[in-house]
Amino acid sequence: MNRARSAAQRAGSEYIESENDDAKTIPPLLHPAIAKLIFETPDMLRSLIGRHGSPLNLMWPQILAENVESMRSTLRRQGLPFALFYGAKANKSPALVRAAVEAGIGVDVSSVYEMRDALQAGIDGRMLCATGPAKTRAFHAALIANDALIAVDSPEELDDLEALVCVIAADHPTRVLLRYRPHGQASSRFGMSVEALVSCLQRLAAMKQTFAFEGFHFHVGGYRYEARVEAIRELVEFIDMARGLGLAPSMIDIGGGLPVRYVDAGRYTAFLRAQQPHDYRTGKVPASFYPYGGELGAQAWLDRLLASPCIGQLSVARWLGENGLTLAIEPGRSLADQTGISVFRVTRAKTLAGGVLALFVEGSSFSACETWFASEFLVDPILVAVPRNDAPASTPVRAFIAGHSCLDDDVITHRLVHFPAMPQAGDLLVYANTAGYQMDLLENEFHRHPMPRRLAVGRDAAGGTTTSPDDCKEYWDDFS
Ligand SMILES: *Cc1c(COP(=O)(O)O)cnc(C)c1O
């Protein structure tokens, strides 16, 4: 721990990086609260795994609140009206949704279940936003009843909504955004073409008693802020057109996709440069990775986006300001940054043909899912070894990591991960920063293994660590 801390201080880093100079290793950046649990109280980790099984997902909801605060301070510096909606699909944790609601931000929900979590956390229905492309009639009805903001994905969805609104005869206009499909995403199935957008604007202008048009939405794939700037520039003329039609747009919602740094940027570049086909059990380096160690964090990304030229002499921030437009953002992964870890217990190590080492853990590739996308979660798990009196002299080893799957290609990492010593049965592997999509996107009950438990970590009045259940409602009966 002291070594880790001094390394972080040398790097001037906000987060603590464990020390290892080998370009073949890629240690995670850790929030200090998480580093403290892992390195200062490993017994607590072991006892939690003993009680709740492996894998175990641990959440720090208060870190989401910290992430909200730093995003807010970046946006406040710009002097712009803004609205944040937590993209709840990044993680199924009800505690993260509650933390978002308690921090006073909105929630972007894509199903009645995500919406239920937000309502149970006490959200004001007007702070709900629904951007998903395939909303059902029941979901539409629930959104209307809660006076939520609905991002309409197509003229066909507007047809459905219009028919429903006529039946419900709500006492207030239904609040809508129109989802635009930027030129750069021409083949995407999300959002509308220019023609469809114009036709929806004209329809909305003729139905002002029924619909309150609040502005435009888009969400583009990839992590470049430049792609969002282009989409905003494309929307400039439609803000003017909407006003010409007597509508009063007040918002541009730029979706999510703010980057997260999992590892130090310099370290990441060196790692990518050094990796070789024989670093993988497949003998092949995957074609693409999430940018785990990008140059920009979420705050710098936002600053660059807002400072980019928009139209004439105006930056994006100035154009939004002069038009009285609220900048809405729906960060998922970047608000979940550092809020969760996944802990696996080692079953055994096994030597295969050619001396390749396989490390078996209790858990599966569904619990850390990047191999299902023909890629890898390029962050080293942290080995938390059981203290042993008869510890053999530690010799570094490398091993790929397999779970309990009986499918040959279904492993947690194809990459041969470097360990300072041979992992033993009962040791723990901690995957850091798994909350954004890694943890439970694909989680299931393969081989009849029950769903992993999730616990929220907090502090009691005396400053001690507490844990409380944070499972999805639908599993409560299984666990009680
Ligand atoms: C998934 C999604 C988000 C969140 O994206 P992140 O990359 O997690 O920030 C926001 N908006 C929409 C419409 C989405 O589909």
Side-chain angles (χ1 to χ4, degrees):
M1 183 60 195
N2 289 336
R3 265 174 15 135
R5 207 163 251 163
S6 63
Q9 278 158 0
R10 276 207 307 282
S13 146
E14 175 186 356
Y15 291 130
I16 293 169
E17 189 194 327
S18 13
E19 190 169 54
N20 197 329
D21 292 332
D22 188 343
K24 295 280 184 178
T25 65
I26 188 147
L29 297 173
L30 293 175
H31 187 283
I34 296 175
K36 192 162 173 302
L37 177 74
I38 298 173
F39 297 114
E40 293 181 11
T41 53
D43 284 346
M44 179 165 182
L45 268 188
R46 276 189 280 275
S47 97
L48 287 172
I49 282 266
R51 219 169 330 142
H52 302 286
S54 167
L56 178 65
N57 294 316
L58 297 177
M59 312 303 298
W60 278 259
Q62 64 276 23
I63 295 178
L64 184 137
E66 291 172 17
N67 294 338
V68 168
E69 268 325 301
S70 24
M71 224 170 263
R72 270 191 181 136
S73 62
T74 300
L75 288 161
R76 282 200 186 114
R77 268 204 309 279
Q78 301 276 350
L80 271 181
F82 62 88
L84 292 172
F85 297 92
Y86 166 51
K89 74 169 186 280
N91 194 289
K92 294 175 189 144
S93 159
L96 289 190
V97 171
R98 200 174 318 119
V101 172
E102 283 170 6
I105 64 169
V107 180
D108 176 23
V109 294
S110 295
S111 71
V112 287
Y113 307 99
E114 289 178 359
M115 184 168 120
R116 181 191 59 192
D117 284 348
L119 288 170
Q120 276 184 343
I123 197 169
D124 172 350
R126 292 184 57 84
M127 302 285 281
L128 290 168
C129 154
T131 56
K135 305 175 204 76
T136 60
R137 188 174 167 90
F139 189 28
H140 272 151
L143 291 165
I144 294 169
N146 283 287
D147 205 9
L149 184 57
I150 302 173
V152 176
D153 187 61
S154 61
E156 292 86 345
E157 182 179 348
L158 188 57
D159 294 343
D160 292 345
L161 208 52
E162 190 184 336
L164 181 62
V165 168
C166 290
V167 177
I168 293 180
D171 54 5
H172 51 79
T174 295
R175 301 165 57 223
V176 294
L177 300 173
L178 292 178
R179 180 161 178 172
Y180 173 61
R181 187 179 68 219
H183 297 321
Q185 309 265 311
S187 59
S188 166
R189 73 176 184 280
F190 306 122
M192 311 185 206
S193 66
V194 165
E195 295 70 32
L197 196 74
V198 171
S199 116
C200 286
L201 277 178
Q202 288 165 342
R203 287 171 64 185
L204 291 172
M207 294 190 287
K208 280 195 234 153
Q209 310 306 319
T210 317
F211 290 106
F213 170 72
E214 298 199 357
F216 297 103
H217 168 244
F218 60 81
H219 170 74
V220 304
Y223 303 96
R224 295 175 59 248
Y225 71 88
E226 294 92 332
R228 280 74 183 175
V229 172
E230 275 165 38
I232 293 170
R233 282 193 204 126
E234 289 166 29
L235 280 173
V236 168
E237 64 172 300
F238 299 104
I239 288 287
D240 297 338
M241 180 185 291
R243 290 191 173 138
L245 287 166
L247 296 165
S250 60
M251 175 179 280
I252 298 264
D253 178 342
I254 65 167
L258 286 71
V260 166
R261 274 188 294 202
Y262 293 80
V263 298
D264 173 78
R267 208 50 208 262
Y268 188 59
T269 312
F271 174 88
L272 288 183
R273 210 180 298 123
Q275 69 172 351
Q276 312 248 330
H278 65 248
D279 292 327
Y280 290 81
R281 73 180 264 271
T282 48
K284 227 168 57 199
V285 178
S288 72
F289 301 102
Y290 178 86
Y292 292 100
E295 288 298 330
L296 297 181
Q299 326 311 329
W301 186 97
L302 265 180
D303 279 333
R304 299 251 180 124
L305 180 147
L306 287 164
S308 298
C310 182
I311 176 171
Q313 301 298 310
L314 299 180
S315 65
V316 168
R318 286 282 303 280
W319 175 75
L320 289 167
E322 297 205 348
N323 280 278
L325 293 168
T326 295
L327 175 72
I329 314 176
E330 295 149 11
R333 190 193 288 262
S334 53
L335 285 185
D337 185 21
Q338 291 289 341
T339 60
I341 63 174
S342 300
V343 188
F344 296 76
R345 184 166 47 202
V346 172
T347 310
R348 71 178 60 79
K350 174 180 176 182
T351 307
L352 310 183
V356 174
L357 197 61
L359 193 59
F360 290 87
V361 299
E362 294 174 66
S364 81
S365 59
F366 301 107
S367 333
C369 63
E370 225 53 33
T371 49
W372 282 98
F373 301 106
S375 188
E376 289 268 334
F377 186 44
L378 278 191
V379 179
D380 284 344
I382 299 163
L383 177 65
V384 178
V386 175
R388 291 182 182 82
N389 294 331
D390 58 340
S394 57
T395 323
V397 296
R398 9 181 257 160
F400 73 89
I401 301 164
H404 45 222
S405 172
C406 294
L407 307 173
D408 206 3
D409 277 337
D410 178 15
V411 298
I412 297 173
T413 71
H414 292 293
R415 187 166 66 92
L416 302 172
V417 176
H418 289 241
F419 293 102
M422 174 73 100
Q424 311 279 327
D427 289 355
L428 304 179
L429 290 188
V430 178
Y431 277 89
N433 212 357
T434 52
Y437 303 108
Q438 290 294 323
M439 185 178 283
D440 60 11
L441 181 65
L442 299 180
E443 192 56 82
N444 63 28
E445 297 168 315
F446 192 35
H447 286 302
R448 301 280 285 107
H449 285 284
M451 292 292 278
R453 295 298 307 270
R454 179 173 22 234
L455 302 177
V457 181
R459 304 228 141 261
D460 60 22
T465 303
T466 60
T467 58
S468 52
D470 184 30
D471 308 296
C472 295
K473 196 173 172 15
E474 39 293 14
Y475 303 119
W476 285 3
D477 286 344
D478 298 355
F479 293 134
S480 60

